[in-house]
Amino acid sequence: MKVLMSGNEAIARGAYEHGVRFAAGYPGTPSTEIMETFARYEGVYAEWSPNEKVALEAAIGAAVGGEKAMAVMKHVGVNVAADPLFTVSYTGTNRALVIISADDPSMHSSQNEQDNRNYAKFAKVPMLEPSDSREAKAYIKVALDLSEEFDTPVFLRTTTRVAHSKSIVELEEPIPWEDKTGVKINAAKYVMVPGNARVRRQALETRTAALKQFAEKTPLNRVEMGSREVGIITSGMPYNYAKDAFPDYSYLKLGMPYPLPEKLIRNFASKVKKLYVVEELDPFLEEQIKAMGIDVTGKSIFPFANEFDPGIVSSAISGCAEIGAIPAAPDVPPRPPNLCPGCPHRGVFYVLGKLGAFVSGDIGCYTLSFMKPLEGLHSTVCMGASIGMAHGMSKALGDGGKGRVVAVIGDSTFVHSGMTPLLNMAYNGSDAVVVICDNSTTAMTGMQEHPATGYTLQGRPAKKLDFAALAGVFGIENVETVDPFDLKQVRKVMKKELAGTGPSVVIAESPCVLFRRANPVIGKPLMVDPEKCNGCKLCLGLSCPPISWRPFSEMSEGTYEKKTKNQEGIAFIESVYCTGCTLCQQLCKAGAIVEEE
């Protein structure tokens, strides 16, 4: 049966059909739907791990224990998992292990734009790269077979456009499960003390040489001969862009970008007059091909950053942007990113923005609070960095930093990588305040579970992490829990904790307003009484989407009355979007914000 699937759905289906029974991952766009889809198949085990390092370690354990396993993460997650990655490349995996790296050219939802093909070469792990959903499903089987044949983890790299676009996939019956599980002791292979690791280092080179031979003959790397005037070497989604722009040229499509098939590349290059490499992000293929002594054109005409499209490829090669050009986006008014109406983080960041402290932020939807007018967050580097940075700043500033350093981190991110730096703060005695914005879910990627929600990925009840108890166990003596919708309480607690000595933790606890299972409180919509609004604009400082400003200059005379000489207009609340959180009401000294009748 043929169905329409996204690349993510196809990867999950392929893993299921070809015998993967264990999968672990951490949610992160553009990879999240792989785990969510895989978890629904019968007979499989799937888990959200606290972070990517743990996910990969769990998958390694499953593979060594004899089960086909998959670890799923977005590109920056591979940074977190890099420690076990580089060593499992030495040990091998026993049974099949596939690592999904979902890269994000153009940074649609990421803090950087790294090209994880470099990880394959760096860690000496073979990599496959599909260009659509059909290939995504087919390549999973190849990756599993390759892993078992060569006793190696295998990368499968997608990009956002492959992960989220849809194409036709043919479903197959899943293969019968073959039980190969069992405990097999082999310390020489799996205990990487230097004496064993040196032996495995040689085995790694032998394996890489064998994989290079595989790359020469696998149909994943295929030649499509057309006009010999121009040849294009490409992989992944850029293959589609190039074919769209220049269907008559000759192509070497590399479904396996590492290791490269040198003989195949030399042979292809010898058959065409002009050779291009079309690849997004780094000149990964180009540099290796040039190192072979082959003249090829790449980044001298193509961009180093962002996604390609047929127009970019066409323009770079021919100077004509008309062929396959993407239609211009519709002209819509600019809209700055913002926290959702009713977001429990808004009150916290409103208060933090007024305290004059440096707020070290983290990865999550609350990162948007850095914008005007909230300006409640001043740095974001990577997951967990908020606490580590706050500690370093506290130590660097010394007494001058007392009462001026705050770290903010979400509940899922805290579980991901916030615990270790918090322990460090307790151990090394920081004078900083850590605010855990606990909204009971992984909101940014779409409400995924984590160890502090009380549920697993597959919906089973689980032990629920207690943040306050954990902080106490770490040795944090000052721990407070606040209602982030109570501005007075948040302001009072933050001032108290900033005035204190030593590290402290403030838990701002209220569920995400979009998280239905948590049953967030939705109040009556509020409205502005124009008879009472004095135009002070305090409510606008919340940057709440339902609140807007109506200047008198755009209103008809006789329809308004100035309460002060300098009043220029009145505030307005769009009731459709208002959740009645009351933050604006708490700020309004004129009492002009009231419940709708």
Side-chain angles (χ1 to χ4, degrees), residues 6-13 26-41 48 70 72 102 158 160 162-166 444-446 448 457:
S6 70
N8 282 346
E9 292 167 334
I11 289 170
R13 177 70 192 188
Y26 184 80
T29 306
S31 71
T32 308
E33 297 83 5
I34 298 173
M35 290 296 297
E36 292 179 330
T37 304
F38 181 77
R40 292 195 286 267
Y41 287 117
W48 288 130
M70 178 169 67
V72 180
T158 68
T160 303
V162 174
H164 289 165
S165 62
K166 293 194 173 186
M444 187 177 187
T445 48
Q448 286 77 35
L457 167 58

Side-chain angles (χ1 to χ4, degrees), residues 356 395 465:
K395 289 297 181 184
L465 176 63

Side-chain angles (χ1 to χ4, degrees), residues 287-308:
E287 288 182 351
Q288 294 184 78
I289 293 169
K290 283 182 174 176
M292 299 173 191
I294 298 172
D295 183 25
V296 63
T297 301
K299 292 301 177 184
S300 61
I301 61 170
F302 291 106
F304 277 84
N306 297 330
E307 288 186 301
F308 286 7

Side-chain angles (χ1 to χ4, degrees), residues 98-289:
V98 177
I99 305 167
I100 310 296
S101 169
D103 293 10
D104 189 17
S106 290
M107 294 171 279
H108 295 285
S109 59
S110 306
Q111 66 269 42
N112 70 29
E113 192 184 46
Q114 66 193 45
D115 187 334
N116 277 8
R117 293 179 298 175
N118 294 299
Y119 264 116
K121 187 169 183 287
F122 194 12
K124 299 181 185 294
V125 170
M127 172 174 275
L128 310 185
E129 187 176 19
S131 60
D132 58 24
S133 300
R134 184 189 63 79
E135 287 189 349
K137 177 173 167 292
Y139 282 19
I140 278 286
K141 180 182 187 305
V142 179
L144 292 167
D145 292 345
L146 199 63
S147 178
E148 290 208 55
E149 180 181 352
F150 290 90
D151 189 27
T152 176
V154 175
F155 268 123
L156 188 121
R157 177 193 188 235
T158 68
T159 56
T160 303
R161 204 56 55 181
V162 174
H164 289 165
S165 62
K166 293 194 173 186
S167 58
I168 293 174
V169 170
E170 184 156 3
L171 303 186
E172 301 170 63
E173 284 297 316
I175 63 172
W177 179 61
E178 188 177 0
D179 187 1
K180 293 186 177 181
T181 57
V183 177
K184 298 177 181 176
I185 306 298
N186 188 347
K189 185 168 184 286
Y190 295 113
V191 180
M192 286 300 94
V193 295
N196 291 340
R198 292 184 189 110
V199 175
R200 295 300 304 174
R201 179 73 177 85
Q202 296 305 313
L204 181 61
E205 292 304 322
T206 302
R207 185 185 75 202
T208 301
L211 283 165
K212 287 180 179 177
Q213 294 302 312
F214 175 87
E216 298 285 358
K217 61 186 180 183
T218 175
L220 298 176
N221 300 325
R222 69 171 186 263
V223 173
E224 301 170 2
M225 287 308 298
S227 166
R228 293 175 183 262
E229 293 296 315
V230 175
I232 292 177
I233 301 176
T234 185
S235 66
M237 185 54 80
Y239 164 76
N240 299 312
Y241 301 147
K243 286 287 284 190
D244 194 31
F246 301 107
D248 297 329
Y249 287 168
S250 295
Y251 285 84
L252 172 53
K253 181 184 180 299
L254 297 172
M256 186 176 186
Y258 182 81
L260 285 180
E262 183 173 343
K263 293 179 182 176
L264 185 62
I265 290 171
R266 289 186 183 281
N267 187 45
F268 179 72
S270 70
K271 293 180 178 176
V272 296
K273 290 183 179 179
K274 176 69 176 176
L275 190 62
Y276 293 94
V277 169
V278 180
E279 56 185 333
E280 290 173 332
L281 304 183
D282 293 344
F284 180 80
L285 302 176
E286 178 186 346
E287 288 182 351
Q288 294 184 78
I289 293 169

